[in-house]
Amino acid sequence: MAPRRSGRLAPSQQSVAESTRTNLPCKPVEVIHNGKKRSQESDAPPTADVPSTGTTFTVPDVSSTPKRRRISGTVPVTPTPSMVGVLNASSDRNSDDSIISSFRNRPAEPHRTNAPLATPGGSKVVAYPEKANEPSPSNPGVPRPTTTTGNLLEEGCNHLIKADPRLRPVVEKHYCRMFGPEGLEETIDPFQSLCSGIMAQQVSGAAAKSIKKRFVALFTRGDVEAQDDEVVLSFPTPPQVAALDIATLRTAGLSGRKSEYIKGLAEKFVSGELSAELLIKASDEEVMEKLTAVRGLGKWSVEMFACFALKRMDVFSTGDLGVQRGMAAYMGKDVSKLKAKGGKWKYMSEKDMLEHSQRFAPYRSLFMWYMWRVEDVDVDALQKK
């Protein structure tokens, strides 16, 4: 896995988003950027009274790139780049620097798609057009929100710490780039992301990468560019995929079942039943309903897609083993003793998870990200492009 790149902005870049990040909920900390240490300081957010759990929550002393763990079980296991890392594959070929240099403040909402989505025609769509007086897509009578892609992460972190001040250390320790201004500027191709997720099901990361490269080669006659040993995505469009038969798709290394899933997904995009525009405007419930109706996409797959690709802020996956484990540790339970319990709800019941996470809405995607961090889940692998 490539070394983790810092999500912090360089001094020359900070002026671009300075107005949106001055209140980031962190105490003075040392940040290493380009081999130099510098100090950043911001105001602490207000706190609220939080019901006591009778335990003291302590942030584990882990490195910025945690060790990977293998976990057995029948429920989804999050720290697998083969399954989730491909979901946030950006269609942009630009570096962080070029993304930040073109940074623009767009209106953002926790319950909407905050990532720009690519269309098969080569354009991209966002939740809010450039017209200044365009109303909210969720309610035409409501003005555009004051939250922007520049301060969405700041507001989310403030909300988490206000709901439970014990989260301050883990928030200060780990910067969540995917919901930061630079992460929200990356354009996502929803068809490519969903196809890649299907390809990666129940195979290793190396196998998923090989299958994806061979899949792209079916449509480029072997002319697949490479950069840093990764496929630079000239990904096929839904009509191109829908036009191929199952036998041809299988030559990329896909099973017959996965070939059917991907062809069926392409056909839904071709028919208009699924589209970037729909995924931009749909509610959280509609996204789940539309995508789980596609063969090959279960609830967990859609939750990961909504969080990592669409950048929706109130996703909370109770069936994810890493989230269960992180929440159990957060609630003061001895996770090592819970491992012998077995069953789907090995670490914590779904009822308890929903009850204790409710106060973090509408920023439960961010809360979930920090629960992975609490239990040393390799989140960098999840965000790997």
Side-chain angles (χ1 to χ4, degrees):
M1 185 178 71
R4 180 172 182 257
R5 293 178 298 177
S6 172
R8 300 291 187 183
L9 306 183
S12 62
Q13 299 162 338
Q14 279 184 310
S15 60
V16 180
E18 183 175 354
S19 62
T20 64
R21 307 241 339 238
T22 53
N23 293 321
L24 188 67
C26 298
K27 64 184 180 182
V29 293
E30 282 191 327
V31 180
I32 298 177
H33 186 87
N34 294 334
K36 297 180 180 180
K37 289 187 177 180
R38 56 190 175 86
S39 177
Q40 287 191 346
E41 184 172 340
S42 56
D43 298 331
T47 59
D49 292 333
V50 181
S52 174
T53 61
T55 59
T56 301
F57 172 59
T58 304
V59 179
D61 185 14
V62 297
S63 62
S64 59
T65 305
K67 294 180 180 179
R68 296 177 63 181
R69 293 182 178 180
R70 290 189 178 183
I71 308 167
S72 60
T74 57
V75 294
V77 179
T78 305
T80 51
S82 61
M83 180 57 201
V84 184
V86 294
L87 294 178
N88 71 330
S90 170
S91 64
D92 291 332
R93 300 186 185 185
N94 301 325
S95 65
D96 278 358
D97 291 348
S98 61
I99 291 171
I100 294 169
S101 66
S102 62
F103 169 76
R104 304 181 69 177
N105 261 337
R106 291 180 286 106
E109 283 188 272
H111 289 289
R112 294 291 151 186
T113 294
N114 293 302
L117 300 186
T119 68
S123 63
K124 67 180 180 181
V125 292
V126 294
Y128 291 89
E130 292 297 321
K131 297 178 182 179
N133 58 354
E134 189 74 18
S136 163
S138 58
N139 189 335
V142 176
R144 290 156 72 94
T146 56
T147 300
T148 69
T149 52
N151 62 20
L152 182 65
L153 176 60
E154 174 194 337
E155 291 193 3
C157 289
N158 284 342
H159 181 79
L160 298 190
I161 295 174
K162 185 176 181 180
D164 188 348
R166 297 179 303 157
L167 286 173
R168 180 182 294 278
V170 74
V171 170
E172 291 175 349
K173 188 177 181 70
H174 301 290
Y175 176 72
C176 184
R177 180 193 179 280
M178 63 178 282
F179 292 130
E182 58 274 49
L184 296 176
E185 278 298 290
E186 295 174 346
T187 301
I188 300 297
D189 180 340
F191 176 66
Q192 171 193 316
S193 180
L194 290 167
C195 281
S196 300
I198 292 173
M199 292 177 196
Q201 290 173 3
Q202 299 179 333
V203 299
S204 68
K209 178 181 172 182
S210 174
I211 291 170
K212 188 173 184 177
K213 191 169 183 177
R214 292 165 63 186
F215 179 81
V216 171
L218 292 177
F219 304 89
T220 58
R221 294 191 174 94
D223 182 23
V224 182
E225 303 176 50
Q227 176 179 318
D228 295 332
D229 201 30
E230 293 283 347
V231 174
V232 177
L233 302 171
S234 50
F235 205 80
T237 63
Q240 288 177 303
V241 176
L244 289 191
D245 56 35
I246 299 298
T248 303
L249 291 174
R250 290 193 66 177
T251 62
L254 294 165
S255 66
R257 186 68 59 85
K258 285 185 180 180
S259 298
E260 293 173 2
Y261 292 163
I262 289 174
K263 184 176 175 65
L265 177 68
E267 290 169 348
K268 286 188 179 291
F269 273 90
V270 170
S271 70
E273 189 174 342
L274 291 177
S275 66
E277 291 81 0
L278 181 149
L279 294 171
I280 282 283
K281 297 177 181 178
S283 67
D284 292 334
E285 294 76 18
E286 289 169 337
V287 168
M288 178 62 67
E289 180 184 354
K290 287 286 186 181
L291 292 181
T292 53
V294 179
R295 290 182 65 207
L297 295 176
K299 182 181 178 182
W300 180 79
S301 296
V302 175
E303 288 169 338
M304 297 299 106
F305 171 74
C307 176
F308 285 91
L310 301 183
K311 306 296 196 302
R312 288 183 172 242
M313 296 298 293
D314 202 33
V315 178
F316 190 67
S317 182
T318 57
D320 183 274
L321 202 59
V323 179
Q324 289 182 27
R325 195 172 67 248
M327 274 208 74
Y330 161 69
M331 295 304 298
K333 297 184 178 182
D334 188 339
V335 177
S336 62
K337 292 182 179 179
L338 296 174
K339 288 184 179 180
K341 191 175 177 183
K344 184 175 181 180
W345 309 108
K346 180 178 292 190
Y347 296 99
M348 199 169 181
S349 72
E350 182 176 33
K351 179 178 179 296
D352 287 345
M353 290 179 73
L354 291 173
E355 179 182 336
H356 289 296
S357 66
Q358 187 56 44
R359 57 180 161 160
F360 301 107
Y363 293 99
R364 287 181 294 181
S365 296
L366 186 60
F367 174 69
M368 182 167 67
W369 191 89
Y370 282 117
M371 290 301 97
W372 283 320
R373 281 297 193 190
V374 164
E375 266 300 286
D376 202 2
V377 167
D378 191 356
V379 184
D380 291 336
L382 308 187
Q383 295 176 240
K384 182 181 178 184
K385 295 181 184 179

